[in-house]
Amino acid sequence: VFLDRDGVINAIVFNEDTEQLDSPLCREQFQLLPGVVDALRLLREKRFLIFIVTNQPAAAKGKTTLGNLYDINLSFIKDMQRLGIIIQDIIICPHYERATSQTKENFLIKNCDCRKPKPGMMLKILQKYNIAKDRSFMVGDSFTDILAGRRAGIRTVLIGSLKCDFCKMLDYGKPDMIRSSLLDFAEQI
């Protein structure tokens, strides 16, 4: 099971500097959504390997450092290990196509093959772990997650509700499943 992170595993945070909803920029902002621990435990009990594939352009945009982004993920993995839940791998795409006035880590500015909706992160994991596409799922809360899953050739699961503007971005093709939460997906699969 390939999982997006923000909005699926953890809550989106309000960034007071930009006055917008955003990804957590430090460990203190990272809060698991309700039911996530139970969902991850259930997926593991059902013998699924869990992979996190997440776009994290905040360092490229100068909002935080790449080190902070890795600290958030490492802390999450360790917290799950303490609970007996193994996250097989976590891959981030730290890239962004253009610099901002705050960009400090210029090597992160590039057009890559890993930023969703491109399937690069999933294709890398599929190959590295010799994963069967027909037994895999991409679970996310955005059209980029669904498109990336389709492009990788795996089934897609939308967390949340399908809105008409979302359908337009997917050329009116629905995800394979729509579930209210990660726990709802884990219980149904």
Side-chain angles (χ1 to χ4, degrees), residues 2 117-120 122-123 126 131-138 145-156 176:
F2 296 85
K118 295 176 185 172
M122 284 170 278
L123 294 176
L126 286 164
I131 304 287
K133 288 182 181 185
D134 62 332
R135 298 183 62 202
S136 299
F137 298 88
M138 174 61 215
D145 298 319
I146 303 306
L147 286 174
R150 280 187 187 166
R151 291 173 178 168
I154 61 177
R155 290 177 282 181
T156 57
D176 295 301

Side-chain angles (χ1 to χ4, degrees), residues 147 150 166-173:
L147 286 174
R150 280 187 187 166
F166 193 100
C167 291
K168 289 177 192 173
M169 298 178 106
L170 292 171
D171 294 327
Y172 296 94

Side-chain angles (χ1 to χ4, degrees), residues 67-89:
N68 280 344
L69 297 178
Y70 284 116
D71 285 347
I72 291 168
N73 292 332
L74 184 58
S75 178
F76 167 65
I77 288 171
K78 286 181 178 180
D79 288 347
M80 293 303 101
Q81 284 175 337
R82 280 192 282 277
L83 295 172
I85 300 169
I86 303 301
I87 305 298
Q88 197 71 29
D89 207 342

Side-chain angles (χ1 to χ4, degrees), residues 158-161 178-185:
L158 174 68
I159 299 298
S161 60
I178 301 173
R179 295 289 180 252
S180 62
S181 67
L182 184 57
L183 183 56
D184 180 28
F185 165 71

Side-chain angles (χ1 to χ4, degrees), residues 59-154:
K61 294 179 180 181
K63 295 178 182 181
T64 190
T65 66
L66 191 55
N68 280 344
L69 297 178
Y70 284 116
D71 285 347
I72 291 168
N73 292 332
L74 184 58
S75 178
F76 167 65
I77 288 171
K78 286 181 178 180
D79 288 347
M80 293 303 101
Q81 284 175 337
R82 280 192 282 277
L83 295 172
I85 300 169
I86 303 301
I87 305 298
Q88 197 71 29
D89 207 342
I90 186 166
I91 297 180
I92 72 167
C93 172
H95 307 114
Y96 197 64
E97 292 183 359
R98 58 191 173 281
T100 68
S101 59
Q102 291 95 1
T103 297
K104 295 175 188 76
E105 300 179 71
N106 289 314
F107 66 96
L108 298 175
I109 306 302
K110 70 180 193 173
N111 185 359
C112 62
D113 67 350
C114 56
R115 185 170 174 76
K116 292 181 286 182
K118 295 176 185 172
M121 289 186 281
M122 284 170 278
L123 294 176
K124 181 177 180 179
I125 288 172
L126 286 164
Q127 182 178 11
K128 179 179 178 181
Y129 293 93
N130 196 27
I131 304 287
K133 288 182 181 185
D134 62 332
R135 298 183 62 202
S136 299
F137 298 88
M138 174 61 215
V139 182
D141 66 336
S142 73
F143 79 95
T144 58
D145 298 319
I146 303 306
L147 286 174
R150 280 187 187 166
R151 291 173 178 168
I154 61 177

